[in-house]
Amino acid sequence: MKLSSALLAIVASLSYAKKDGQALSPPMGWMSWQRYVCETDCETYPDSCISENLYMKATDLLVSEGYLDAGYSQVSIDDCWSTQERDDNGDQQANPDRFPSGLKALGDYMHNAGVKFGFYSDIGTHTCGGYLGMKGNFQRDIDKFVSWGIDYLKLDGCYEDIAEMHDDYTEVSKILDASGRDIVFSCSWPAYVNNHGEDNDGEILQTLSEICHTWRNFDDVADSWNSVSSIIDYWARNTTDIPFVQVSGPGSWNDADMLMVGNNGLSLSEERTQFALYAIFASPLFLSTDLTKVSPESKAILQNREIISVNQDQSQQGIVLSDISNDPDWWVNVRTFGRALSDGTYAVVLQNYGNMGPYVNIKFDVSLLSQIGASVTTESQYTMRNLYTGKDVEGTFTGDEFVVPVESSSVEMFIVTLA
Ligand code: GLA
């Protein structure tokens, strides 16, 4: 994709995020939305309704199941926590039946466990689930949320005029800056804009990178390969040089939406694919699963320290380096993704996105890394470390010598070190 000179000038002049030292790596945690949506019937669904119990249990499990140690440091409330009307003072309050101890107590519970308190509201008149939004009450609501001790605010974009998003998100960002509390700001924009910003609207881009630490680009994730692969395709379509990639980096991350690893809709191969590629995309990593039901295999994916460390690298997100749909071998559909890491190595994911036939032998061509700044030729030598086996591959390779079989709907992930 070629950029206009005006857009290139905008990208060149970007000041990179709020520069407040927050979200230097993509945020990580657990978020209720995809797995628990907006179930409010606690009588019928006591273990899975949106209530303080759900978030307290998630906090406990994050700690006891090793996720906090692996880097998942926050529990995030999503939609449907509030009452339907403001109180007599005009403030938002949590639903008293489902949050009888109140949100300050819930935040304290998380903080005492060493977990950050992630929060949710909407910039429009209502949330997507029809609960209270912040429109017209930005200062009042932020004051209230700060008094509850929130550390992260996902501010959704339902029931908001798109033409007002620029000014409204900017205003909230300023109020957060002046709040006296460190709060990571997650904007749901351009997710609501036509074409999800794929036409690279320069104004949106410049604003986002100045006022939000992270922002949702694309559709809501669902627990299916169809949904997860559509998100991957969004980034694979938007190849080299796109401004959204160029503004990613410390304090400024594109959010590909929650991880589905640990749920029911993806095979293990598909789970590996989502996790590996979210590391390349430098996306926030939010689990949205019942932490009591994660299989040992899925847990091993979620707690793979080497892949997490690629995700958390304080560098620009990676891109697709090649995408081959081989006619007449129509069953061959393979991509190479790469991300330049700050220690001078490269994370590479070889994806077989075909869904017919057995494995495909994917060749890795080291010269592709020139697209992400490596000084390489077809003769360059390199070694490979496989991040899913946790082992170095034996030998040193030259050019496109390295070949690995990759199953359909699956990936292999490596760290490439230039010799
Ligand atoms: C939107 C967001 C989701 C979730 C729901 C809540 O769809 O994109 O992540 O927060 O609203 O209603």
Side-chain angles (χ1 to χ4, degrees):
M1 181 177 296
K2 284 274 162 274
L3 296 186
S4 70
S5 51
L7 264 180
L8 280 170
I10 287 172
V11 169
S13 71
L14 285 175
S15 52
Y16 285 100
K18 294 172 83 161
K19 279 192 178 156
D20 58 4
Q22 296 192 79
L24 296 179
S25 291
M28 290 175 69
W30 179 95
M31 186 175 273
S32 58
W33 178 253
Q34 197 288 326
R35 175 70 194 187
Y36 295 98
V37 287
C38 192
E39 182 54 67
T40 55
D41 179 356
C42 291
E43 231 166 82
T44 314
Y45 300 104
D47 297 330
S48 58
C49 66
I50 300 302
S51 67
E52 63 185 33
N53 286 339
L54 181 74
Y55 297 105
M56 287 160 72
K57 205 164 100 189
T59 304
D60 296 347
L61 286 162
L62 211 66
V63 177
S64 63
E65 294 294 316
Y67 292 99
L68 177 63
D69 276 352
Y72 298 90
S73 59
Q74 131 180 2
V75 166
S76 249
I77 291 184
D78 210 274
D79 204 349
C80 311
W81 57 266
S82 77
T83 51
Q84 299 282 0
E85 304 290 337
R86 289 176 178 270
D87 68 12
D88 291 345
N89 296 326
D91 286 330
Q92 296 206 43
Q93 294 296 349
N95 178 291
D97 299 325
R98 293 182 281 115
F99 295 84
S101 316
L103 291 174
K104 170 78 173 77
L106 181 56
D108 288 347
Y109 187 89
M110 292 180 194
H111 291 146
N112 287 336
V115 169
K116 289 189 209 131
F117 183 8
F119 206 62
Y120 169 94
S121 191
D122 192 288
I123 194 124
T125 54
H126 295 85
T127 69
C128 303
Y131 285 75
L132 292 171
M134 286 173 59
K135 188 87 176 178
N137 291 282
F138 295 154
Q139 183 70 56
R140 167 187 291 278
D141 287 348
I142 297 294
D143 288 348
K144 198 77 198 166
F145 301 165
V146 166
S147 79
W148 291 333
I150 69 162
D151 302 301
Y152 168 104
L153 179 64
K154 168 177 168 182
L155 195 53
D156 217 337
C158 276
Y159 299 100
E160 163 78 338
D161 185 342
I162 286 175
E164 292 174 24
M165 282 191 169
H166 175 283
D167 289 355
D168 285 352
Y169 274 111
T170 304
E171 192 180 333
V172 172
S173 178
K174 286 185 183 150
I175 295 172
L176 288 171
D177 284 349
S179 73
R181 189 168 175 85
D182 280 348
I183 297 173
V184 170
F185 190 29
S186 162
C187 300
S188 294
W189 187 42
Y192 287 91
V193 175
N194 274 346
N195 212 21
H196 305 104
E198 282 195 59
D199 34 16
N200 290 313
D201 180 320
E203 191 194 8
I204 293 180
L205 178 75
Q206 183 149 28
T207 307
L208 283 172
S209 64
E210 284 169 0
I211 66 168
C212 317
H213 297 105
T214 171
W215 52 84
R216 277 275 312 281
N217 299 66
F218 196 62
D219 293 338
D220 285 8
V221 70
D223 187 18
S224 74
W225 179 236
N226 195 23
S227 161
V228 170
S229 57
S230 73
I231 292 171
I232 293 167
D233 290 349
Y234 169 85
W235 288 107
R237 252 193 324 272
N238 288 291
T239 53
T240 36
D241 294 341
I242 75 157
F244 279 116
V245 169
Q246 297 191 0
V247 293
S248 80
S252 182
W253 307 106
N254 292 287
D255 180 352
D257 209 5
M258 291 159 269
L259 290 166
M260 291 299 100
V261 183
N263 284 326
N264 305 306
L266 305 187
S267 69
L268 264 188
S269 293
E270 292 160 350
E271 291 191 341
R272 287 201 182 102
T273 303
Q274 188 188 30
F275 201 66
L277 287 173
Y278 273 38
I280 296 291
F281 303 154
S283 173
L285 296 181
F286 282 105
L287 313 164
S288 190
T289 184
D290 178 344
L291 293 173
T292 63
K293 294 201 172 133
V294 181
S295 71
E297 293 82 5
S298 298
K299 191 172 171 185
I301 296 172
L302 292 169
Q303 297 194 5
N304 182 313
R305 298 292 208 276
E306 290 187 279
I307 299 181
I308 290 174
S309 125
V310 171
N311 172 276
Q312 295 288 289
D313 197 65
Q314 295 182 8
S315 56
Q316 191 174 89
Q317 78 180 70
I319 54 171
V320 66
L321 303 173
S322 79
D323 190 339
I324 299 167
S325 292
N326 245 350
D327 213 7
D329 293 343
W330 49 266
W331 57 90
V332 173
N333 295 280
V334 298
R335 293 179 182 131
T336 303
F337 291 86
R339 179 174 177 197
L341 302 176
S342 35
D343 67 357
T345 63
Y346 297 85
V348 162
V349 171
L350 304 176
Q351 182 193 19
N352 175 359
Y353 65 98
N355 46 25
M356 289 289 287
Y359 63 85
V360 171
N361 282 327
I362 304 187
K363 233 177 215 284
F364 170 64
D365 180 351
V366 76
S367 66
L368 292 174
L369 297 180
S370 62
Q371 294 172 59
I372 46 173
S375 161
V376 275
T377 66
T378 50
E379 298 307 313
S380 295
Q381 296 198 313
Y382 54 100
T383 55
M384 305 286 264
R385 179 173 175 77
N386 185 320
L387 298 193
Y388 273 125
T389 62
K391 292 192 179 129
D392 292 337
V393 181
E394 233 176 272
T396 300
F397 303 89
T398 305
D400 64 359
E401 227 171 56
F402 182 77
V403 179
V404 65
V406 184
E407 281 292 341
S408 56
S409 297
S410 194
V411 291
E412 294 289 344
M413 181 169 194
F414 299 92
I415 293 291
V416 179
T417 306
L418 298 176

